[in-house]
Amino acid sequence: MSVLVLVLAVGAACCLGFGFVLQQNAAQRAPLGDFLSPRLLLDLVRVPRWLAGMGLMVAGMALGAVALGGGELTLVEPLLATALLFALALSRAQTGRPLGRQGWGGLVLLAGGVTAFIVAGEPRGGSAVTDPVRHWLLIGVMLGLAVLLTACAGRARLTWGPTLLALAAGLVYGVQDALTRISGRRFSAGGPAELLTGWQPYAVVVLGVTGLILVQSAFETAPLRRSLPALTAAQPLAGIACGVGFLGDRLRTGPAALAWEAGGLVAVVAGIVLLGLHPAMPQGSGESGHDRALERR
């Protein structure tokens, strides 16, 4: 494992975690009429705190892209999941709440799970799958599930909606990471000409904007604890599936290795849930989306 890739991925997680907190601080005050609308971004772009969070998010995505250029998706994605640790650190600084057993337990599970998965799986590169059917099948399943979750979220926007939207955004971002990896390979092989003649970089932009709308809509309707854990859990799982499915990433497949890899992923998800539900995570302004909806009637 390259130390540079490790530093870049953790740096990306730090920027993303801080950025998510600042974005949610601003998005929670946005009009509910902007739910799942590009107009939401036009409203938020006038809020300095949101712009600061967006700047950190862009920086995190850039660092993540560079990390993906030098490391496998199955290595970088689990490291990006540590964004929740940095989000909790900023939230704890804002609220002054101690970590307690729940916080420390979540931290150990998340960090230990990432370590177990990487050490047991020993992610390494291989030959990308050339069969387009497998590419489109996996991408179609991920994005189709994201569409289904978004549709369900629209019907339950003030209850389970934020969690469903965050899951959808995580799937979208996982696919985006896979296409970013492919775009990096095309650039390395033939420079800008090779990159711009493929559809992948344009899909990366479209998926990025789509994921941003989903995330901000989740942030505006509920506290961070109801969306960020789902987002943080779904993205690495989707990315790992794409990495193994068609990017040629390889993991050890012995019985013991597979058991540790599965256990590591389970620990990562459990740690994310514990940290996401920690009392230090932002609770919102004290006014729920339902309350704001009633005020507008």
Side-chain angles (χ1 to χ4, degrees):
M1 178 173 58
S2 168
V3 175
L4 179 59
V5 171
L6 174 63
V7 171
L8 288 171
V10 174
C14 177
C15 291
L16 290 171
F18 289 169
F20 284 144
V21 174
L22 295 179
Q23 287 174 39
Q24 198 275 335
N25 289 162
Q28 67 182 355
R29 303 180 184 278
L32 281 179
D34 292 348
F35 185 77
L36 289 179
S37 169
R39 188 172 59 248
L40 174 60
L41 302 183
L42 297 178
D43 285 338
L44 290 174
V45 78
R46 294 176 290 187
V47 182
R49 183 180 288 264
W50 187 83
L51 287 176
M54 191 62 197
L56 285 169
M57 183 177 179
V58 170
M61 293 177 71
L63 290 172
V66 177
L68 287 170
E72 286 65 48
L73 200 62
T74 47
L75 169 63
V76 175
E77 287 289 3
L79 294 172
L80 292 180
T82 60
L84 195 59
L85 298 178
F86 297 100
L88 181 63
L90 179 56
S91 299
R92 183 176 178 274
Q94 292 177 341
T95 62
R97 289 180 177 270
L99 282 179
R101 292 182 179 179
Q102 180 177 345
W104 284 111
L107 188 154
V108 170
L109 282 172
L110 178 53
V114 170
T115 302
F117 178 83
I118 292 175
V119 172
E122 295 183 2
R124 56 200 181 280
S127 299
V129 176
T130 57
D131 181 9
V133 174
R134 186 182 296 188
H135 285 240
W136 289 111
L137 179 61
L138 279 172
I139 292 174
V141 168
M142 297 292 179
L143 297 184
L145 184 55
V147 170
L148 178 61
L149 290 169
T150 302
C152 294
R155 299 179 180 179
R157 57 190 274 187
L158 299 179
T159 53
W160 285 97
T163 302
L164 297 177
L165 284 179
L167 285 171
L171 295 174
V172 169
Y173 282 144
V175 174
Q176 182 194 33
D177 289 342
L179 298 182
T180 298
R181 173 69 170 156
I182 295 176
S183 298
R185 288 178 175 177
R186 292 180 66 91
F187 182 81
S188 298
E194 178 71 16
L195 172 65
L196 298 177
T197 54
W199 59 270
Q200 291 88 353
Y202 308 103
V204 166
V205 175
V206 173
L207 291 175
V209 174
T210 302
L212 188 61
I213 294 173
L214 293 174
V215 168
Q216 302 308 317
S217 295
F219 285 172
E220 77 162 333
T221 50
L224 202 61
R225 60 164 56 190
R226 290 178 56 191
S227 55
L228 191 54
L231 170 65
T232 311
Q235 181 175 352
L237 295 178
I240 290 170
C242 290
V244 174
F246 60 81
L247 287 180
D249 288 7
R250 297 180 180 178
L251 297 170
R252 293 174 63 190
T253 56
L258 287 174
W260 277 101
E261 291 161 24
L265 290 178
V266 170
V268 167
V269 174
I272 286 172
V273 172
L274 281 178
L275 291 174
L277 296 178
H278 193 278
M281 294 298 284
Q283 301 296 304
S285 60
E287 182 180 40
S288 69
H290 182 261
D291 293 335
R292 283 186 283 147
L294 291 176
E295 287 180 2
R296 287 172 172 76
R297 294 179 180 176

